[in-house]
Amino acid sequence: TMAASKRLICATQDLPERGTGVRFSVETAQGTLPAFVVRYRGKVQGYLNRCAHVRVELDAEPGKFFDVAGLYLVCGTHGAAYVPETGYCIGGPCKGQRLTKLAVAEHDGSVYLLDSEETVHV
């Protein structure tokens, strides 16, 4: 297998607990796609920035992925709610579907995208 490389997304301090997410882009077989990371219960979660319902970006306001209570990731267009740890949709038009999860890691004060063959299944 190909050696996994990693790409810096942001600094740990730039990703507050249940706060504003960090947007970036990821290269896939389908071209460059928008993606994001958020912190939930201390852990960084990364996903393609694409609602499972209609292929729109989730954050109507850039970086705002969480609902008001900070419990779910919410699509600003249709209100679909996703579990932050899994990307599983628990409410809205795409209930039962899920966001495309990305392999991310955090160490030494930085958050990285892990570029492995498993990273993106579109």
Side-chain angles (χ1 to χ4, degrees):
T1 55
M2 203 172 69
S5 61
K6 62 185 185 184
R7 196 179 106 214
L8 178 66
I9 297 171
C10 64
T12 288
Q13 65 196 34
D14 294 338
L15 208 58
E17 171 71 22
R18 301 185 197 199
T20 303
V22 173
R23 296 162 53 97
F24 62 102
S25 59
V26 61
E27 301 301 322
T28 75
Q30 278 71 33
T32 306
L33 296 176
F36 69 95
V37 286
V38 290
R39 184 183 304 284
Y40 182 76
R41 293 184 178 166
K43 197 169 181 324
V44 176
Q45 304 290 347
Y47 294 99
L48 285 186
N49 191 359
R50 199 172 65 186
C51 184
H53 169 225
V54 178
R55 297 193 169 187
V56 293
E57 295 185 20
L58 297 175
D59 51 336
E61 195 182 324
K64 301 291 183 201
F65 294 100
F66 283 105
D67 64 3
V68 179
L71 296 177
Y72 299 106
L73 303 175
V74 175
C75 176
T77 304
H78 299 107
Y82 300 93
V83 178
E85 296 102 327
T86 61
Y88 186 77
C89 183
I90 52 96
C94 46
K95 190 172 180 181
Q97 294 176 265
R98 61 181 66 231
L99 299 174
T100 303
K101 199 169 178 68
L102 301 175
V104 294
E106 180 176 28
H107 52 85
D108 302 328
S110 297
V111 176
Y112 298 92
L113 173 69
L114 302 180
D115 185 24
S116 65
E117 285 148 13
E118 297 79 53
T119 302
V120 181
H121 299 290
V122 183

